[in-house]
Amino acid sequence: MTTKKVLKRPEVLAPAGTLEKLKVAIHYGADAVYIGGNAYGLRSRAGNFTYEEMQEGVAFAKEHGAKVYVAANMVTHEHDEEGAGEFFRELRDVGISAVIVSDPALIEICATEAPGLPIHLSTQASATNFETLEFWKEEGLERVVLAREVSMEEVKAIRENTDVEIEAFIHGAMCISYSGRCTLSNHMSKRDANRGGCCQSCRWKYDLYEMPFANQKRSLVARTKSEEPFSMSAVDMSMIEHIPELIQNGVDSFKIEGRMKSIHYVSTVANVYKTAVNSYMEDPENYVCKQEWIDELWKVAQRELATGFYYKTPGEDEQLFGARRKIPAYSFIGEVMAYDEETKMATVRQRNVFSVGDEVEFYGPGFHHFEQTIDVMWDEEGNEIDRAPNPMDLLTIPVSQPVNVGDMMRKKK
């Protein structure tokens, strides 16, 4: 008699660069979000949280049964760690569920000066085998974010040999360097990538030059005018078609990249992965990855999508090189603020320009979608208008199906 394997529901972990994004991510299904504080993070240009914003974010998350983690994953130089103890104590006292750290000095400071605050190991620490996870377990860490270079076979082996919680990236941008530890930005723009200042030098376009001959004054570009410039950049990751394998191999937390992405991105990606996870957990034996989920992710894709290192070493097709696949471009144009069932009218806060005659799509949590044409609309004073050009204006629009507060509008560019 064989014992049926009990599958653990994974956490859907979404990025939240601002308080607004935190609330949107949780509204659209995220079980947890990760944010940045005002120090020790790797996204200096993200909308990092003040202490007061953290308080509000944690309260909102708890009200909805979600968790908030704080990324404090910078590599510290001399004196960077000053004040870290107080910072971690503030996180603990405000109710942060865990802090994500890579630097051993910060880990030690957090463990000794803010006892009771759980510590997760950042992907920056390059954990690629179960012995590493066991080491950090002995240091008191309860979860490890795996390096993005880990294969699916390695994920399976890690789970079979340790009970440490595994967090793994399943969607978003991929860094071309090993676990994000890169100094291109330091050299090219004097912005320290490992202390929050990365200028994404790998995304720049480069020409490839031949070495000059003795009688030449300058190098020659070693490509034809029809070829694209080179980059050192990977395409983005998407594991939507491999949810069963991730769950069966014991990944506890599905991590989505993108603290600097828009609420359009955060809402869409969190919505898709939560829908897929729910579908699998409800009926694993009959689970099917739906094409509409894949299509939905392409609506917010900035680059082509692949599976990273999970199944093979990425080659030319997994890099931003050569001819580009055309990506459907959608514009986030509004958010539903109210809905009147009797009149079937929605009050929408405009985010980008749209006009009467535009084909638009409404979407909401739980993968509720529908499309319609904007036939008429009114501004906040009740004047009928043909075009909505001003961000954050309140507009009234008749809708063909019921909508809810927090539903989003977009249109194809």
Side-chain angles (χ1 to χ4, degrees), residues 315-361:
E316 177 182 318
D317 292 338
E318 288 77 42
Q319 297 178 38
L320 296 180
F321 173 79
R324 300 290 187 266
R325 176 175 172 178
K326 189 174 181 180
I327 296 174
Y330 282 77
S331 176
F332 169 49
I333 59 173
E335 180 182 6
V336 176
M337 308 304 292
Y339 173 64
D340 189 309
E341 292 185 9
E342 291 186 10
T343 62
K344 294 182 171 39
M345 291 287 184
T347 301
V348 173
R349 187 174 297 283
Q350 188 259 29
R351 295 300 186 105
N352 278 297
V353 178
F354 62 95
S355 304
V356 169
D358 284 348
E359 292 282 344
V360 303
E361 179 184 8

Side-chain angles (χ1 to χ4, degrees), residues 198-401:
C198 182
C199 67
Q200 299 192 346
S201 305
C202 60
R203 304 285 189 199
W204 298 356
K205 300 293 185 180
Y206 297 90
D207 278 325
L208 182 65
Y209 289 89
E210 294 177 343
M211 293 294 290
F213 296 107
N215 62 345
Q216 290 179 328
K217 293 183 179 180
R218 62 185 180 85
S219 302
L220 299 175
V221 178
R223 64 179 180 87
T224 67
K225 290 184 179 180
S226 62
E227 291 177 338
E228 282 205 34
F230 298 93
S231 76
M232 293 178 278
S233 188
V235 303
D236 289 356
M237 177 191 287
S238 176
M239 290 294 287
I240 187 60
E241 297 183 67
H242 305 280
I243 296 298
E245 198 164 4
L246 288 163
I247 296 176
Q248 290 163 10
N249 287 331
V251 176
D252 297 284
S253 180
F254 287 4
K255 189 166 194 170
I256 299 164
E257 182 276 338
R259 273 197 288 142
M260 295 179 66
K261 302 284 181 64
S262 68
I263 62 172
H264 180 211
Y265 170 90
V266 170
S267 60
T268 299
V269 179
N271 204 8
V272 168
Y273 280 98
K274 186 56 175 288
T275 301
V277 167
N278 286 345
S279 178
Y280 180 78
M281 296 304 296
E282 288 167 6
D283 191 0
E285 294 182 1
N286 296 301
Y287 172 83
V288 175
C289 178
K290 297 181 180 179
Q291 184 62 43
E292 62 184 7
W293 300 342
I294 300 171
D295 294 343
E296 187 77 358
L297 292 176
W298 278 105
K299 293 176 182 178
V300 292
Q302 295 181 326
R303 290 173 278 270
E304 296 178 46
L305 300 173
T307 56
F309 286 83
Y310 278 114
Y311 297 103
K312 65 175 183 176
T313 299
E316 177 182 318
D317 292 338
E318 288 77 42
Q319 297 178 38
L320 296 180
F321 173 79
R324 300 290 187 266
R325 176 175 172 178
K326 189 174 181 180
I327 296 174
Y330 282 77
S331 176
F332 169 49
I333 59 173
E335 180 182 6
V336 176
M337 308 304 292
Y339 173 64
D340 189 309
E341 292 185 9
E342 291 186 10
T343 62
K344 294 182 171 39
M345 291 287 184
T347 301
V348 173
R349 187 174 297 283
Q350 188 259 29
R351 295 300 186 105
N352 278 297
V353 178
F354 62 95
S355 304
V356 169
D358 284 348
E359 292 282 344
V360 303
E361 179 184 8
F362 286 86
Y363 71 94
F367 219 72
H368 170 64
H369 290 69
F370 69 92
E371 296 178 356
Q372 72 167 64
T373 301
I374 300 295
D375 295 321
V376 63
M377 57 182 170
W378 297 267
D379 64 17
E380 196 168 0
E381 286 73 40
N383 301 309
E384 186 173 334
I385 57 175
D386 294 326
R387 186 170 179 269
N390 301 315
M392 306 308 286
D393 275 1
L394 287 175
L395 310 168
T396 303
I397 300 170
V399 288
S400 59
Q401 295 185 31

Side-chain angles (χ1 to χ4, degrees), residues 11 13-15 32-37 39-42 68-75 87-88 91 96-103 106-107 110 117-125 141 143-146 167 169 253 255-256 259:
E11 167 189 87
L13 175 57
V33 295
Y34 61 101
I35 68 174
Y40 308 110
L42 285 183
V68 179
Y69 308 136
V70 170
N73 50 351
M74 73 178 290
V75 175
F87 175 74
F88 288 130
L91 300 188
I96 294 298
S97 294
V99 62
I100 307 167
V101 191
S102 64
D103 192 306
L106 290 181
I107 290 173
C110 183
L117 176 61
I119 305 171
H120 296 173
L121 188 72
S122 169
T123 190
Q124 304 293 127
L141 277 63
R143 179 186 291 187
V144 168
V145 187
L146 297 182
E167 184 176 306
F169 281 94
S253 180
K255 189 166 194 170
I256 299 164
R259 273 197 288 142

Side-chain angles (χ1 to χ4, degrees), residues 14-252:
T18 64
L19 185 58
E20 179 188 33
K21 293 173 188 176
L22 178 152
K23 294 179 179 180
V24 167
I26 293 172
H27 182 61
Y28 276 79
D31 302 297
V33 295
Y34 61 101
I35 68 174
N38 55 16
Y40 308 110
L42 285 183
R43 290 292 181 268
S44 61
R45 289 173 293 154
N48 294 317
F49 284 57
T50 65
Y51 185 73
E52 291 73 22
E53 288 173 329
M54 282 189 192
Q55 285 181 311
E56 184 176 344
V58 167
F60 181 88
K62 287 183 176 179
E63 183 181 341
H64 293 82
K67 297 179 179 180
V68 179
Y69 308 136
V70 170
N73 50 351
M74 73 178 290
V75 175
T76 58
H77 289 226
E78 289 299 335
H79 308 300
D80 284 343
E81 74 280 4
E82 292 178 2
E86 181 181 356
F87 175 74
F88 288 130
R89 285 192 295 274
E90 285 184 344
L91 300 188
R92 179 195 62 189
D93 296 345
V94 81
I96 294 298
S97 294
V99 62
I100 307 167
V101 191
S102 64
D103 192 306
L106 290 181
I107 290 173
E108 181 71 12
I109 291 169
C110 183
T112 56
E113 298 198 32
L117 176 61
I119 305 171
H120 296 173
L121 188 72
S122 169
T123 190
Q124 304 293 127
S126 306
T128 57
N129 56 75
F130 77 85
E131 290 94 339
T132 297
L133 272 69
E134 284 292 294
F135 169 85
W136 288 111
K137 177 182 176 180
E138 292 177 6
E139 295 298 310
L141 277 63
E142 62 182 40
R143 179 186 291 187
V144 168
V145 187
L146 297 182
R148 278 177 266 193
E149 299 79 39
V150 172
S151 70
M152 188 64 75
E153 282 298 314
E154 289 171 326
V155 173
K156 181 181 179 183
I158 289 169
R159 171 45 70 228
E160 289 173 348
N161 289 280
T162 182
D163 61 358
V164 177
E165 288 186 10
I166 294 173
E167 184 176 306
F169 281 94
I170 52 90
H171 196 92
M174 292 284 286
C175 188
I176 203 69
S177 67
Y178 205 88
S179 293
R181 294 179 298 175
C182 175
T183 57
L184 280 178
S185 179
N186 301 54
H187 287 292
M188 295 181 176
S189 65
K190 296 183 180 179
R191 285 168 47 177
D192 193 335
N194 295 294
R195 286 196 282 180
C198 182
C199 67
Q200 299 192 346
S201 305
C202 60
R203 304 285 189 199
W204 298 356
K205 300 293 185 180
Y206 297 90
D207 278 325
L208 182 65
Y209 289 89
E210 294 177 343
M211 293 294 290
F213 296 107
N215 62 345
Q216 290 179 328
K217 293 183 179 180
R218 62 185 180 85
S219 302
L220 299 175
V221 178
R223 64 179 180 87
T224 67
K225 290 184 179 180
S226 62
E227 291 177 338
E228 282 205 34
F230 298 93
S231 76
M232 293 178 278
S233 188
V235 303
D236 289 356
M237 177 191 287
S238 176
M239 290 294 287
I240 187 60
E241 297 183 67
H242 305 280
I243 296 298
E245 198 164 4
L246 288 163
I247 296 176
Q248 290 163 10
N249 287 331
V251 176
D252 297 284

